[in-house]
Amino acid sequence: MMNCCGLLTVQKEPVPLKSIEVELEVRDHVATVVSTLNYQNKEDKPIEAVFVFPLPGDAAVCHFSAKMGQKEIVAEVKEKQEAREEYDDALSSGQQAFLLEESDQSPDVFSMSVGCLPPGESASIRLEYVTELAVQADEGLRFCLPAVLNPRYTPQAVQVNSVPASLVPYSLSFSARVSSPRPISKVESSCSLDPLQFLNTDQTQATVKLGAGHKFDRDVEVLIYYKDAHQPTAVVEAGQASAKPGTLMGDPVVMVSLFPEFPQSVMSSVASCGEFVFLVDRSGSMDFPMNNNDRNQTRISSAKETLLLLLKSLPMDCYFNIYSFGSRYEHIFPKSVEYSQQTMEEALKRVGTMEADLGGTQILEPLKHIYEQPCIPSQPRQLFVFTDGEVGNTKEVIDLVKKNSGSHRCFSFGIGEGASSALINGLAKEGGGHAQFITRSDRMQPKVMQSLRFALQPAVVDISITWDLPKDVSVTVLSPPITALFQGQRSLVYGQLSGQSSEAAEGCVTVKYSLAGHPTQNQLHFSLKPEEDTGLTVHRLGARTLIRSLEMQGRESRGEQLTGVKEKVVALSIQSGVSSCFTAFIAVNKGDGEAIQGPLVRRNVPTPACHLFACNLFSHIFTYIYHKLFSSDSAGAADWTQPEVKQPLCDPLLQLVSLQKASGLWMLDSALAAALGKTSEEVEKSKPELVSHLWATILALIWLQGFQTDAKDEWQILAGKAVLWLQAQNAPNVTECVDAGNALLGCRVQKDALGL
């Protein structure tokens, strides 16, 4: 058998993409990304190469150009249909043409077409975008270069030619330069990085590169940590010299970063009510391992363990329900039920039977069913969505969440490689909640519990922003109204500044809101002197923000109103050079060379699929077919009829947590003794003159504080329930019990540390 050489797909077709080079420049919390894609046609006939690839969902694509030899062609932004027709006309005339457009289904998927590449010729495509970096639970800033585009399971799926990561026939190089007013403490990544190189003595500038041998089985995730991070800031950027004053690109634009600080008295209070609805992905891809180091820890098993922690942490007077979805959806209770020992136990039994066996990923129908349920008076609805984010109707899903944003808050969690940032961030943004991404070695539990703490905090209401500017200066706000504020989380506001001001002039922005019935405000004073050398980053991010708001408005419009919105988006997109769903980048080589002769051959450049997907493809297809053939109602809700499956909990923390009662107490029994690493006799012998439940609960709290400090984010809320239960008992001799518990468990935990 003859070996095939060169760039080939799994179908043995030549692939013209040779390599991808990515340069990342981070300034504080804003990133500029320049990707260079190098193509070469090794065939004996002209080709058209088509490459479908992911980008961050909130990216502002602002440059697209092509270089052939010494000639560079810079693309223009045009109305999408006009750009497509110009591209087709160019190919029909034998001209080289290049087209870049956003998917109609999801703003985080792009298609690049390289047309009429002659035999033996090379072309370098340069793509540039800017994006904001999201703040993580540990205060790191997250940048993600999506290298994996997972299949999107919807009726109108995005068509992607994907291959296992090990067979991707092109290379990736990645380098980053980081600068900030504050020192850089560290840079981490899910991939192997070369050592961080500081460029100055105060460590405010550094470079880092991707290590050799990177495989295309994961996104390139970079976490950046600054010292004394996340202070409120404002940056005023000068307008484009060639642009007309009074336009978005001609006027200065301000970017305000807000980090509200809430009073500690409010932060320590926890809501005792609410309706908590958990929506869990059970599609076939949820059966993949969370990471390669522990193939037994699948996404679905991690989600089940997280549900255990969530159910144990809910307040006693709340309501809850659990939905799961794939090609169809299921729910544990017909409607949300009051939280009690009985309902909690029933839910945990059903959670124990959950498997990744519901086929594809169709989230729209279960969301519709949830929103059709009437809200419970005085029980604010909090929706938690867990998914690996592989859907194709992203815009439709986000529009539904926004339509119902007045009745709930939505907290979203993207699990594993290839999760759609447009979906995960969009759900949280339009639902007034918070988004988290769980990849590689991340534990799902601490990130989810942080979101639960947000959900249990009093909701921030009546949010308003006022500007105090010199009399000759006015502001046009480009951002939609802020609907949610959380402790330690950034909110960004963009504004177009019109008028003249002196270089020494200052402005002030005030954020007012009500928290737990108390009016509160935060102020930020800033200089109005524009910064010159910023590459129009702030303008493009402001334009992207306004474009996304108008696009959503357009999806809610019909007839003349829709036409008007589309015209606004197209005009703004062309003016700013930022892509939109109604526009595309088009470049045509109109040189004096001869037309390229011969039939044009289309070559689809394969996108890397997570190799876990490739390995489990047969299993996934079998599961999907099975449910299509044997499900009685594949489109609607179904009851859980699987037998209960008892699975042993290997994690000591989860073993102890599983024994806690809904009220917060622990029972004194052999299971608790085993979880504490003791015999029943040892625990009973050391017990002071106390009711057994009090002694058991104090022992559990000491064990958590003494042996699970690193996991405090996971058990803090349920421990708080236990403390409240103990305080309600007016337990005598608590100090004596703590001392006896420390002696038994070999700890030195102080009574105050337990909250008693």
Side-chain angles (χ1 to χ4, degrees), residues 78-81 551 562 565-566 569-570 580-584:
K78 295 188 177 182
E79 191 276 327
K80 184 177 282 189
Q81 188 58 37
E551 286 173 344
L562 173 59
V565 171
K566 180 179 177 180
V569 172
V570 171
S580 73
C581 69
F582 297 126
T583 56

Side-chain angles (χ1 to χ4, degrees), residues 2 10 66 73 210 294 318 366 497 505 528 539 589 593 607 630 670 754:
M2 184 169 54
V10 287
I73 310 168
L210 191 65
D294 182 7
C318 76
L497 298 173
L528 288 173
H539 279 74
N589 186 357
T607 301
F630 299 109
S670 58
L754 299 177

Side-chain angles (χ1 to χ4, degrees), residues 571-592:
L572 180 58
S573 179
I574 292 173
Q575 179 198 152
S576 62
V578 172
S579 64
S580 73
C581 69
F582 297 126
T583 56
F585 281 92
I586 175 69
V588 177
N589 186 357
K590 299 179 180 178
D592 298 328

Side-chain angles (χ1 to χ4, degrees), residues 151-386:
R152 312 248 163 157
Y153 294 101
T154 60
Q156 299 85 25
V158 179
Q159 296 302 310
V160 180
N161 179 31
S162 60
V163 298
S166 59
L167 299 181
V168 170
Y170 45 87
S171 61
L172 170 71
S173 64
F174 175 86
S175 61
R177 181 187 177 100
V178 183
S179 60
S180 171
R182 295 170 294 281
I184 303 161
S185 59
K186 61 179 177 177
V187 175
E188 297 178 345
S189 177
S190 59
C191 307
S192 175
L193 296 178
D194 290 342
L196 188 67
Q197 301 289 328
F198 287 104
L199 303 180
N200 54 7
T201 55
D202 59 5
Q203 298 188 340
T204 58
Q205 297 181 25
T207 60
V208 68
K209 292 183 178 180
L210 191 65
H214 174 71
K215 292 185 174 64
F216 280 79
D217 61 346
R218 71 194 75 174
D219 297 343
V220 178
E221 183 183 53
V222 178
L223 296 170
I224 301 167
Y225 298 85
Y226 300 130
K227 296 177 182 177
D228 303 320
H230 312 328
Q231 303 298 317
T233 59
V235 176
V236 178
E237 183 180 76
Q240 194 172 19
S242 59
K244 182 180 177 182
T247 64
L248 174 60
M249 300 305 290
D251 284 342
V253 170
V254 60
M255 175 178 64
V256 179
S257 304
L258 302 169
F259 286 90
E261 290 292 332
F262 300 154
Q264 185 58 39
S265 58
V266 176
M267 293 301 299
S268 59
S269 64
V270 176
S272 59
C273 62
E275 180 194 10
F276 296 87
V277 181
F278 305 108
L279 179 58
V280 183
D281 192 339
R282 285 175 58 195
S283 62
S285 54
M286 286 291 288
D287 203 30
F288 301 166
M290 287 291 293
N291 63 77
N292 291 334
N293 297 327
D294 182 7
R295 301 186 68 84
N296 293 321
Q297 182 71 4
T298 62
R299 298 175 186 177
I300 190 65
S301 64
S302 184
K304 289 161 67 172
E305 292 175 357
T306 303
L307 284 171
L308 168 64
L309 284 172
L310 285 167
L311 288 172
K312 296 291 183 176
S313 301
L314 293 179
M316 276 301 292
D317 296 327
C318 76
Y319 287 73
F320 78 102
N321 203 353
I322 300 176
Y323 285 70
S324 59
F325 69 95
S327 301
R328 56 195 176 93
Y329 66 89
E330 301 177 348
H331 44 73
I332 292 182
F333 305 106
K335 62 180 181 179
S336 293
V337 295
E338 189 170 359
Y339 180 71
S340 66
Q341 182 63 30
Q342 179 181 348
T343 56
M344 183 192 74
E345 286 182 352
E346 184 175 351
L348 286 172
K349 287 179 182 178
R350 300 291 181 86
V351 168
T353 69
M354 290 172 65
E355 300 294 340
D357 57 0
L358 292 187
T361 309
Q362 297 186 29
I363 194 174
L364 195 63
E365 291 307 314
L367 279 174
K368 287 180 179 178
H369 188 270
I370 290 169
Y371 293 140
E372 287 169 359
Q373 308 308 306
C375 291
I376 302 170
S378 303
Q379 302 285 347
R381 178 173 288 170
Q382 316 275 9
L383 175 61
F384 286 65
V385 179
F386 302 84

Side-chain angles (χ1 to χ4, degrees), residues 354-541:
M354 290 172 65
E355 300 294 340
D357 57 0
L358 292 187
T361 309
Q362 297 186 29
I363 194 174
L364 195 63
E365 291 307 314
L367 279 174
K368 287 180 179 178
H369 188 270
I370 290 169
Y371 293 140
E372 287 169 359
Q373 308 308 306
C375 291
I376 302 170
S378 303
Q379 302 285 347
R381 178 173 288 170
Q382 316 275 9
L383 175 61
F384 286 65
V385 179
F386 302 84
T387 178
D388 49 15
E390 300 166 3
V391 304
N393 53 347
T394 301
K395 294 178 181 178
E396 192 176 358
V397 172
I398 292 173
D399 288 348
L400 178 64
V401 172
K402 180 178 182 178
K403 181 180 177 182
N404 292 275
S405 60
S407 63
H408 81 303
R409 287 195 291 182
C410 181
F411 299 85
S412 55
F413 306 90
I415 305 169
E417 308 298 339
S420 167
S421 60
L423 174 68
I424 303 304
N425 288 326
L427 288 172
K429 181 179 179 181
E430 300 305 332
H434 185 248
Q436 301 265 26
F437 289 86
I438 301 110
T439 58
R440 286 289 151 184
S441 58
D442 288 347
R443 278 178 61 82
M444 187 184 300
Q445 290 85 344
K447 293 192 173 187
V448 174
M449 298 312 290
Q450 183 202 38
S451 292
L452 179 60
R453 281 192 291 276
F454 286 155
L456 290 172
Q457 291 168 11
V460 177
V461 296
D462 300 330
I463 304 171
S464 65
I465 295 179
T466 56
W467 301 77
D468 185 9
L469 301 169
K471 63 178 182 179
D472 293 329
V473 179
S474 61
V475 63
T476 301
V477 178
L478 306 174
S479 306
I482 296 176
T483 58
L485 289 174
F486 297 106
Q487 170 74 16
Q489 293 299 305
R490 182 189 64 220
S491 294
L492 288 173
V493 180
Y494 295 92
Q496 176 183 343
L497 298 173
S498 304
Q500 299 294 323
S501 64
S502 65
E503 288 195 357
E506 281 197 346
C508 176
V509 60
T510 303
V511 183
K512 297 180 180 180
Y513 51 90
S514 180
L515 183 63
H518 301 290
T520 309
Q521 69 176 37
N522 298 127
Q523 282 191 333
L524 175 65
H525 294 265
F526 60 94
S527 170
L528 288 173
K529 182 181 179 181
E531 295 186 12
E532 302 287 344
D533 185 23
T534 55
L536 294 173
T537 300
V538 174
H539 279 74
R540 285 164 175 159
L541 288 172

